[in-house]
Amino acid sequence: MGPPMTAAPEEPYRKAMAENLAFALLNGSDEVQFVSPRALPYFNRRDIATRPFALASVALAPQAELLATLIRARRTGLIAHSQALQLRRGDIADEIRVSAQAISDADLDPGAVILIFEPLEAGDVGGCVAADPLSSQSIISDLYAELMLSRDEFHRLTIEHEETVSNMATLNEELYSINEELRSASTELEANRDTLEAGNAALTEMVNRVTKSNNDLENFVGATELALIFVDANLRISRYTSPATTVFKLLPKDVGRPLLDIAHKLEYRSLGPDLEAALQQHKVDREVRSNSGKWYSLRIVPYLSPDNQATGAVITLIDISMRKEAEENLRTGEQRWRMALEAAGDGIWDWNVVSNKSLLSPAWRRILGYDSDELSSGTPGEWEALIHPEDQPGVLENIRACAKGEPGWFSHEYRIRCKDGHWKWVLSRGAVVERDHRGQATRVIGTLSDISQKKVAEHEIWYRANYDHLTALPNRSFFLDRLEYEVVQARRAGTPFALMFIDLDRFKEVNDLHGHSAGDLLLRIVADELRGSVRESDTVARLGGDEFTVILPALANPLQLELIAAQILRKLSDPIQLAGNVVHISASIGVTCFPRDADNSGDLVRNADQAMYVAKNAGRNCCRFFSQDMQDKAIARISITNDLHDAIDGQLKLYFQPIIDMVTGEIVKAEALLRWSHPTRGLIQPDKFIHLAEEAGLIGRIGDWVFTQAAAAALRLGNVLGMPFQVSINKSPLELSSPDSLPELDWLAFLERLGLDTSSIVIEITEGLLLQATPTVNERISLLRRAGIQFALDDFGTGYSSMSYLTNYNVDFLKIDQSFVNCGRDNTAGKAIAETMIILAHKLGLKVVAEGVELAEQHDWLRAAGCDFSQGFLYAYPLELDAFEDLLRQRRLRTLAAVVQPKSIGRHA
Ligand SMILES: Nc1nc2c(ncn2[C@@H]2O[C@H](COP(=O)(O)OP(=O)(O)OP(=O)(O)O)[C@@H](O)[C@H]2O)c(=O)[nH]1
C-alpha cells in the first residue's frame, strides 16, 4: 500500500479554480455553498438560486455513492473518487465521476469538501481507472486506510460504549436516589397538604370574619348618625354616611368629586390645608359653621392603609349647635352676672389655669384702691404678693387644690394689702368652670368681696362673747376655753400650773351704799389691780359679779402662789377712791394646782371655788389652798344640800320656846325654832343648813312651811288659852331680800283662811337684813306690817345697832341679845347697854324681849329694868307643840307666883 495522496487542503480548490473545472464547494453540513459555472449542469437548477442548498440537489445517481465518497474524503483527508455516477438528461445518461477532497481554508467551514465533476471517457471503469495499477494500489491503500480508521473508530466507539454503560449505571443510581427523594417529598407533600387544608379552613374563617366585619362596617356606615366623609389621596369623595348629606347636600353622583368643590357650604377656609395635613398623617380638630348657621365639631384623621400609609382622609362632623347655643347663653349669662356682681361692688377674677393668666375686674382693683390700669400684668403672682404673709400659705394651698379639680370650688377669707398699704379683709370665692378631659381645671372664676365691715362686726361679736364689757377681761366662756387649753398644754409639757378664784368680800354693800355705778367702777379698778399683780402670761378673767380668776401657768410652788395671793389681798385692801368716797374692800381667794389637786378643768374650777368658800368662812380677806379635807367637807355640804329636798317633806320640825310676860309671869307668846331631824345625822340646827337652803333655792319653801306651822300653832295655843297667842318666826335675810325667794304662799290669804288674826304672827328679822335693806325688803316689810303682822328686831346690839333701823322700820319688838342679859360682875357695860336699850325702845314705843334668861337674878334684874318679855331656859326649853300645849293647860290650872320654878318644865329640844 502506497502512501496516501497528499495535497495541500486548499490546493484542489485553487487548482479547480485555476483550471476552470466543474466543481462545487460543500460546507461541514454537506450543504452546497458554491457551484462553478461548469458544474451547473450537475445540479437541479431551481435550487442553485438559493445558497447554500442541500447536497440532494446534485442530479447524480446514486446519491449513496456520492455520500460514501464524501465520507471517505473527510475520513481520510485524501482525495476520494466515486464510482461512475449517472447524469440523466432525458433518455440519455452521461457517466460522471466525482472526486471529493476535504479542504481547509480559512474562509471555509471545517469539514468543507470540494467536489470535482469529470465526465468519464471510454476506458474509465466504475469511477476508477482500471488499467492504471497505481489507481488499484491507491484503492487498496484507501481501503486499508479506511479499515484502520474503522478499527480506530470501532475502538473509540467501544470505549465510548463502555463510558456510556458506566454513565448509565451512574445515572441509574442517581435516578434511584431521585426516586427516593421524590417519595419522601411526596410524603412531605402529603403532610403539607394537611397543614394547607387546616390553614385553608382558618383562612376561610378569617375571610368570613372579614366579610362580617365589612358587613358590620357597612351597616355602621349606613346606620351611624355621624356625618362621615371619606376622601382618597386626591381628596376626592370616596364614600360618605347619610348624615353627611344634610351638611353638604351630597348625592350618589358626588362620589369621585373633589371635596373642595363642595367645601363652600362650610365657613371653613383652611379645609384644603387641613386635608393635606391629614395626608401627612396629622390629625385636625376644628369647630366650623355651616352656611345654614349650624355649628359642627369637625375632625380630620388620615385614612391609613394596612402598611400604615395615609391613602386618604376621614372627615367626621358632629352637630354641636346646641352646645354652642348653651355656651352663648352662658356667655350672655356670665356677662349679666358679671355686671350684677360689679354693680354690687364685688370684684371678679378669671383665671386661665392653662396659661396661668388672670383677669381682674375694675371692681376688684377698686376694692384695693387701684386704678383700672394698675395690676394688669395678668400673672397670679401679682396679687399673691399682696396677700398677708400669715394668710398666704392657706390661700395658695386652697387655690391649688381647686385648680387640680378637687374640690372644684374655693372660698377663703384673708387679708390683702391695699394700695395705701393698709390691710383689708376680703372673701375670695371661686369655682372651676372648665375642665380638661382628665378633669383638671382649665378655668376658674371667682369673686372678691370686701368683708372688712363684717370682720369688724364678727370681731365685735366674738369680743362680746369672750370678753367682759365692764372690765375688758376675758369672761367665763373665754376663761374656760383658756383653762382647757392650759390643761392640755400642761399635760403635754408635764408642767404644773395654778388656778386662783377671787371673790370680793361684801361687795354688795358697796352697791348698796354707793350705788351700782360705783360698784361697776370698783370692779374695773379691781380688774386693773389684778392685771397689775400678775405676769403678762397669766390670764385674769371675770367670771361674773364680783368673781375673778387667774390662771398662773408654770407656777405651782405654794410659796410663790402665797406671795402673789398676799400681794393681791394687800393691793385690794388699800383704800379706794370711789365717786368721792373712800371705800375699803377685801377679797377671799381660793387656790388649786394642776395636776396635784385635779387633772381637768372642771375639777380645778370646783376646787378653787371650794377653797375660796373656805376662805370666806374663815373670816374673808384671806387665801386658802385647796385640800382634801376641804373636798370632804364640801362633799358633806353637797350631801346635806341634796338631803334638804327630802327634809321639807317630813323631816323638819318646829319647837316652841315660851315667852313670859314679865309682869304677870304668864306664857303669852312663843318663838318657833326650826330643827331638821335628819335620819342619819340627828337633829341639825338652822345655822347648819339655812344658808345651804338659801344656796339651793329652797329657803322659800322652808319659809312657807315654818309660817304655816307657826300660824297653826298660834291658833291652837290661842284656843287653849282662850285668848290670842303670838308666835314669832325667824326669817332668813334672803327670804325677804331676794326676788328669787318670794314666798310661794300668800301668807295673808292663808291667815284669813285659817281665821287667825295677823297680829298672832311676829316676824323676827336681824340687823343684817336691815343692813341689806333693798327696796324689795322695805316693800315686803311694809306690806306685812300694814296687814297687821308684827316685827321684832333680833340680836339688837350685836351688829351696827343703828338707831335709824328702829325709827325707819317701825318694828314692834326689840330683842336683847343674850350677851347683854348676863348680868355678872364683869358685864356691867352689857347690863348698862341692855337697860339703855329698854329705855330707848320704850321711848320709841317698842316692847322689849330679853333672850337667853337662865337665872332668876337675870329675870329679876330685867323685870326691874322694865323689860316686857323674856325667854330662856329659866322658864322652859323649846318644846314640841303637844308638850307646849300641855304646859299651857297645866299653868292655866294654877296661879303662878311671881317666882317661877326654874327648869321645872318642858323637854329638851
Ligand atoms: N355694781 C355691780 N354689781 C354687781 C354686778 N354683778 C353682780 N353685782 C352684785 O355683786 C354682788 C355680789 O354679791 P356676793 O358676792 O354674793 O356677796 P358679797 O356682798 O360680795 O358677799 P360675800 O361674797 O359673801 O363676801 C351682788 O349684790 C350683785 O348684785 C355688776 O356688774 N356691777
Side-chain angles (χ1 to χ4, degrees):
M1 196 180 332
M5 190 180 73
T6 56
E10 68 279 10
E11 198 177 336
Y13 171 65
R14 290 215 184 98
K15 191 179 167 205
M17 286 291 284
E19 292 175 5
N20 196 19
L21 298 178
F23 71 90
L25 285 175
L26 274 72
N27 64 14
S29 305
D30 290 349
E31 288 168 334
V32 181
Q33 285 190 300
F34 179 77
V35 179
S36 71
R38 287 190 60 194
L40 286 174
Y42 305 110
F43 288 88
N44 293 326
R45 294 233 171 217
R46 65 173 185 277
D47 294 332
I48 292 170
T50 55
R51 270 192 294 251
F53 55 90
L55 187 60
S57 285
V58 177
L60 295 175
Q63 276 272 321
E65 175 57 25
L66 183 62
L67 288 172
T69 306
L70 265 175
I71 291 166
R72 276 201 308 278
R74 280 198 184 108
R75 190 178 303 153
T76 61
L78 301 174
I79 296 172
H81 304 283
S82 69
Q83 299 288 335
L85 298 170
Q86 303 273 312
L87 175 64
R88 287 195 181 274
R89 282 190 226 130
D91 296 334
I92 306 164
D94 292 332
E95 295 270 302
I96 303 294
R97 188 178 66 179
V98 176
S99 302
Q101 187 178 9
I103 58 171
S104 132
D105 191 298
D107 296 333
L108 297 173
D109 283 346
V113 174
I114 187 165
L115 296 179
I116 299 168
F117 302 90
E118 287 174 87
L120 284 179
E121 306 279 324
D124 290 350
V125 180
C128 298
V129 182
D132 188 356
L134 274 176
S135 292
S136 305
Q137 193 185 348
S138 163
I139 290 168
I140 291 165
S141 64
D142 279 357
L143 289 173
Y144 176 76
E146 211 169 312
L147 181 69
M148 291 309 289
L149 284 172
S150 296
R151 197 190 64 192
D152 291 347
E153 184 68 12
F154 177 77
H155 182 68
R156 189 183 59 79
L157 287 173
T158 306
I159 291 168
E160 267 180 23
H161 175 72
E162 282 171 1
E163 280 176 359
T164 304
V165 168
S166 160
N167 285 344
M168 284 294 285
T170 311
L171 277 174
N172 223 15
E173 278 174 20
E174 277 177 16
L175 273 173
Y176 181 79
S177 91
I178 285 168
N179 203 26
E180 283 301 306
E181 275 176 27
L182 278 173
R183 194 171 295 136
S184 89
S186 174
T187 314
E188 214 171 294
L189 274 173
E190 293 267 319
N192 283 346
R193 193 192 61 201
D194 292 346
T195 312
L196 275 173
E197 274 176 6
N200 216 21
L203 206 62
T204 307
E205 196 191 324
M206 201 181 293
V207 167
N208 288 341
R209 257 192 278 144
V210 169
T211 308
K212 187 174 177 305
S213 293
N214 274 342
N215 196 37
D216 288 349
L217 189 66
E218 285 299 323
N219 278 312
F220 166 73
V221 169
T224 183
E225 290 183 2
L226 278 179
L228 293 170
I229 301 174
F230 296 78
V231 293
D232 60 19
N234 297 318
L235 307 183
R236 288 175 184 280
I237 299 168
S238 57
R239 73 183 303 171
Y240 57 84
T241 59
S242 67
T245 58
T246 57
V247 187
F248 290 106
K249 305 278 179 295
L250 286 171
L251 295 170
K253 68 178 169 57
D254 288 323
V255 171
R257 195 175 170 193
L259 181 64
L260 291 177
D261 280 5
I262 55 167
H264 61 273
K265 292 180 181 169
L266 294 176
E267 292 174 6
Y268 181 19
R269 293 186 195 293
S270 62
L271 176 61
D274 285 353
L275 286 169
E276 293 296 346
L279 291 179
Q280 301 301 316
Q281 303 223 355
H282 296 296
K283 192 178 83 177
V284 180
D285 280 304
R286 302 251 182 247
E287 286 185 358
V288 295
R289 207 163 72 143
S290 73
N291 293 344
S292 65
K294 286 200 161 217
W295 276 94
Y296 294 94
S297 165
L298 181 142
R299 169 169 287 188
I300 306 177
V301 293
Y303 185 96
L304 298 175
S305 63
D307 58 350
N308 234 17
Q309 297 298 312
T311 58
V314 184
I315 299 104
T316 316
L317 291 131
I318 299 170
D319 188 345
I320 54 166
S321 307
M322 280 173 68
R323 197 196 84 199
K324 278 284 177 187
E325 193 182 339
E327 280 176 5
E328 184 55 34
N329 290 343
L330 195 68
R331 234 188 319 278
T332 321
E334 189 179 310
Q335 275 166 2
R336 284 204 197 108
W337 64 252
R338 272 174 188 267
M339 284 166 66
L341 282 170
E342 286 275 324
D346 285 345
I348 298 161
W349 50 267
D350 189 336
W351 177 29
N352 184 322
V353 182
V354 181
S355 64
N356 199 23
K357 289 274 176 194
S358 301
L359 292 175
L360 305 173
S361 74
W364 196 101
R365 293 184 177 85
R366 241 187 347 264
I367 287 172
L368 305 190
Y370 287 97
D371 293 332
S372 53
D373 56 342
E374 293 176 293
L375 297 177
S376 54
S377 77
T379 52
E382 197 171 40
W383 70 265
E384 279 172 22
L386 301 176
I387 300 171
H388 194 287
E390 285 172 15
D391 302 338
Q392 206 178 54
V395 177
L396 297 185
E397 190 183 325
N398 259 1
I399 287 193
R400 275 181 206 123
C402 179
K404 274 190 189 164
E406 27 167 92
W409 54 268
F410 155 83
S411 176
H412 207 107
E413 291 182 355
Y414 57 91
R415 286 159 290 176
I416 192 162
R417 199 175 57 244
C418 295
K419 189 177 176 184
D420 63 8
H422 84 269
W423 295 104
K424 188 173 249 185
W425 273 102
V426 290
L427 166 65
S428 193
R429 278 183 292 201
V432 175
V433 292
E434 287 172 18
R435 294 173 188 274
D436 62 14
H437 65 281
R438 289 168 300 162
Q440 297 226 330
T442 55
R443 190 177 170 205
V444 185
I445 298 183
T447 59
L448 184 89
S449 314
D450 180 353
I451 55 165
S452 313
Q453 295 296 322
K454 188 188 121 200
K455 277 286 169 187
V456 169
E458 272 178 10
H459 178 74
E460 182 68 23
I461 291 166
W462 177 85
Y463 186 83
R464 280 169 192 259
N466 289 285
Y467 279 84
D468 169 42
H469 69 284
L470 182 68
T471 59
L473 288 176
N475 64 11
R476 175 184 289 273
S477 158
F478 194 178
F479 157 73
L480 290 174
D481 284 352
R482 185 75 208 178
L483 183 62
E484 195 60 51
Y485 171 80
E486 284 304 339
V487 167
V488 173
Q489 289 292 104
R491 243 185 232 149
R492 191 174 299 147
T495 50
F497 75 91
L499 171 66
M500 257 181 202
F501 201 111
I502 303 162
D503 188 285
L504 300 186
D505 297 332
R506 301 203 172 84
F507 171 66
K508 189 174 178 308
E509 286 176 20
V510 177
N511 272 342
D512 292 345
L513 293 173
H514 305 288
H516 204 267
S517 52
D520 285 354
L521 181 58
L522 178 64
L523 290 172
R524 278 200 288 270
I525 293 169
V526 169
D528 289 343
E529 292 290 358
L530 291 177
R531 259 193 296 250
S533 304
V534 297
R535 302 164 300 176
E536 275 286 309
S537 54
D538 301 333
T539 305
V540 182
R542 181 186 176 216
L543 297 198
D546 58 352
E547 291 176 350
F548 296 86
T549 51
V550 185
I551 301 170
L552 301 135
L555 220 161
N557 181 347
L559 195 63
Q560 273 179 297
L561 289 166
E562 269 175 36
L563 288 173
I564 293 170
Q567 188 186 346
I568 291 172
L569 292 174
R570 199 174 49 251
K571 275 195 173 183
L572 292 182
S573 60
D574 285 347
I576 296 172
Q577 282 288 339
L578 210 61
N581 298 302
V582 176
V583 176
H584 290 89
I585 60 156
S586 62
S588 301
I589 301 178
V591 183
T592 189
C593 294
F594 172 94
R596 191 192 63 199
D597 302 333
D599 65 353
N600 63 74
S601 57
D603 287 352
L604 284 168
V605 174
R606 193 202 58 209
N607 289 354
D609 187 35
Q610 277 175 16
M612 187 278 294
Y613 184 84
V614 173
K616 283 267 181 214
N617 285 343
R620 297 179 165 78
N621 194 22
C622 62
C623 170
R624 287 291 178 272
F625 279 71
F626 173 81
S627 67
Q628 193 50 50
D629 179 49
M630 264 180 210
Q631 171 84 338
D632 296 344
K633 285 187 177 145
I635 289 169
R637 208 168 52 237
I638 292 164
S639 155
I640 291 176
T641 306
N642 287 340
D643 292 349
L644 257 178
H645 290 87
D646 302 331
I648 298 169
D649 299 322
Q651 294 174 13
L652 294 179
K653 280 183 184 295
L654 271 190
Y655 287 85
F656 298 89
Q657 184 162 39
I659 298 174
I660 304 296
D661 183 328
M662 295 213 84
V663 177
T664 62
E666 292 297 330
I667 298 174
V668 289
K669 304 164 183 278
E671 181 181 355
L673 298 170
L674 179 63
R675 301 289 183 271
W676 176 10
S677 177
H678 192 279
T680 55
R681 296 172 194 268
L683 213 55
I684 304 176
Q685 297 290 325
D687 61 323
K688 293 280 185 295
F689 68 87
I690 284 298
H691 64 287
L692 297 177
E694 286 176 348
E695 285 170 12
L698 295 169
I699 197 67
R701 286 178 62 196
I702 292 175
D704 283 348
W705 183 84
V706 170
F707 177 80
T708 52
Q709 296 297 308
L715 184 67
R716 191 167 145 190
L717 297 174
N719 288 341
V720 171
L721 281 181
M723 55 185 283
F725 191 84
Q726 246 184 351
V727 175
S728 55
I729 55 174
N730 292 277
K731 279 273 141 221
S732 122
L734 200 78
E735 252 184 291
L736 283 172
S737 61
S738 167
D740 302 333
S741 60
L742 271 174
E744 290 171 14
L745 188 72
D746 183 345
W747 289 359
L748 298 176
F750 179 79
L751 292 177
E752 199 177 340
R753 275 202 307 277
L754 210 61
L756 187 68
D757 195 84
T758 48
S759 62
S760 300
I761 300 294
V762 177
I763 295 175
E764 296 191 7
I765 53 175
T766 58
E767 273 188 313
L769 176 74
L770 296 181
L771 201 64
Q772 302 164 20
T774 56
T776 316
V777 174
N778 293 341
E779 202 180 302
R780 286 187 192 169
I781 291 175
S782 303
L783 176 82
L784 294 169
R785 282 205 86 248
R786 277 200 303 276
I789 289 177
Q790 297 190 328
F791 278 79
L793 191 55
D794 203 2
D795 305 333
F796 191 76
T798 55
Y800 285 90
S801 306
S802 170
M803 292 303 148
S804 62
Y805 295 153
L806 299 178
T807 48
N808 290 350
Y809 291 99
N810 212 4
V811 294
D812 303 281
F813 301 95
L814 185 70
K815 290 193 90 170
I816 300 176
D817 189 69
Q818 91 174 82
S819 55
F820 302 110
V821 172
N822 178 5
C823 57
R825 228 178 269 153
D826 305 338
N827 197 21
T828 47
K831 203 170 163 187
I833 290 170
E835 286 169 358
T836 310
M837 282 199 287
I838 293 167
I839 294 165
L840 185 69
H842 284 165
K843 286 224 182 274
L844 291 170
L846 276 64
K847 299 280 185 196
V848 179
V849 182
E851 286 184 296
V853 179
E854 294 178 349
L855 303 169
E857 59 175 309
Q858 292 170 341
H859 172 88
D860 294 343
W861 161 65
L862 286 166
R863 189 165 180 263
C867 182
D868 304 289
F869 303 100
S870 64
Q871 62 183 94
F873 297 161
L874 175 68
Y875 316 108
Y877 288 105
L879 300 168
E880 287 189 75
L881 185 57
D882 289 345
F884 200 105
E885 193 181 332
D886 287 348
L887 176 67
L888 276 191
R889 285 186 202 285
Q890 286 167 25
R891 289 178 67 98
R892 233 186 132 210
L893 294 175
R894 53 188 171 111
T895 304
L896 276 175
V899 179
V900 181
Q901 295 297 316
K903 295 185 185 175
S904 58
I905 51 173
R907 287 179 284 164
H908 289 254

